[in-house]
Amino acid sequence: MTGKMYTDPIEFVEVSPRDGLQNERTIVSTAQKLALVDHAVASGARRIEVTSFVNPRAVPQMADAEEVCAGLPARDDVTWIGLVMNLRGAERAIATGRITQLGAVAVSTDRFAMANQGQTSKGSVEAASAIIARAADAGLTGQVTIAASFGCPFEGEVTEDRVLHMAEACAKAGAVEIGLADTIGVANPVHVTRLVERVKRAIAPLPVRVHFHNTRGTGLANVWAAIGAGASVVDSSIGGLGGCPFAPGAAGNVATEDVVYMLERAGIGTGLDLERLIETNHWLAGVMGKELPAMVGKAGGFPKPRLEEREIA
Ligand code: ZN
């Protein structure tokens, strides 16, 4: 196995307020979204994807993007990420005065790019590049996620060269990080290892972030493979909520508490508090009115923390 030693801490992007909720039919109130953000921050999250600035008719759950931003706690130790698809979205995010990082999306295939944002794959790279430039103008940072990096719901297999060239183009445009997203949950650990290694080499010293959906149960194995191959940032969602309204059959993101359990038990620091994440899972399950997909959220951690230690901490 090439790649890093399993010792460096991993950074997390908590995506539950955006990717976690966007596909849920139950409309979650602005106050509940802000409570989720508070829970995430209290659990140790320091990068949070708080909302997306998209057409509310296409994604009704994100219609309160401005209101969510206005209610964010005053924490300059937290990076507040707003997902944007075009310059109009970028202007909305910048105008909030609260978003500190723009997240752009480039899509690996033409058919998915058309369904997701009404443009070609090449057009989506150009749009992402324009968003990155606009972020820099406004004094913000910008990163790009390459959607359907491991397979497309419409076109099937996606070549590694295609994703590699897109990553290079986005890095050249000034992105501070490149994310590889398995939007429909079809990746396997060998594919992940190969693509992360290639992209990491191509964009060094920029970090590679990974975004996995657990649609076919390979999410955690893919996270492990990605870290072994040198990815240093992981997107995850408390409770394992998540999905894409434009990707048929998409299921939840890898659950924050499941990934944290795996990594911490393996001696890899996460900066996150597992017990608080589990408490947040139970709270969020109440909000959503259903049990959430996360495994550790149901089973609890191991070994159980002693009560008196929790109280002292
Ligand atoms: Zn996703």
Side-chain angles (χ1 to χ4, degrees), residues 16 20 59 74 172 182 196 246 252 262 272:
S16 51
V59 191
K172 215 164 140 196
D182 184 17
V196 169
F246 308 105
M262 175 178 77
L272 294 167

Side-chain angles (χ1 to χ4, degrees), residues 27 30 51-52 71 91 94 122 151 173 187 191 200 208 260 263 266 272:
I27 296 289
T30 306
T51 189
S52 65
E91 294 306 333
I94 292 164
K122 185 163 173 282
H191 189 174
K200 185 178 165 68
V208 175
V260 166
L263 297 186
L272 294 167

Side-chain angles (χ1 to χ4, degrees), residues 81-93:
I81 302 169
L83 192 79
V84 302
M85 299 294 178
N86 50 39
L87 281 177
R88 187 154 37 140
E91 294 306 333
R92 283 178 59 197

Side-chain angles (χ1 to χ4, degrees), residues 34 50-54 62-73 79-84 87-102 134 138 140:
L34 289 168
V50 286
T51 189
S52 65
F53 296 87
V54 292
M62 298 291 117
D64 61 350
E66 276 80 3
E67 289 80 359
V68 168
C69 290
L72 291 173
T79 301
W80 305 114
I81 302 169
L83 192 79
V84 302
L87 281 177
R88 187 154 37 140
E91 294 306 333
R92 283 178 59 197
I94 292 164
T96 66
R98 304 304 308 278
I99 293 295
T100 48
Q101 183 168 77
L102 298 187
R134 184 65 189 97
L140 278 54

Side-chain angles (χ1 to χ4, degrees), residues 117 218 246 264 306:
Q117 49 215 62
T218 55
F246 308 105
E264 294 279 351
R306 302 212 327 264

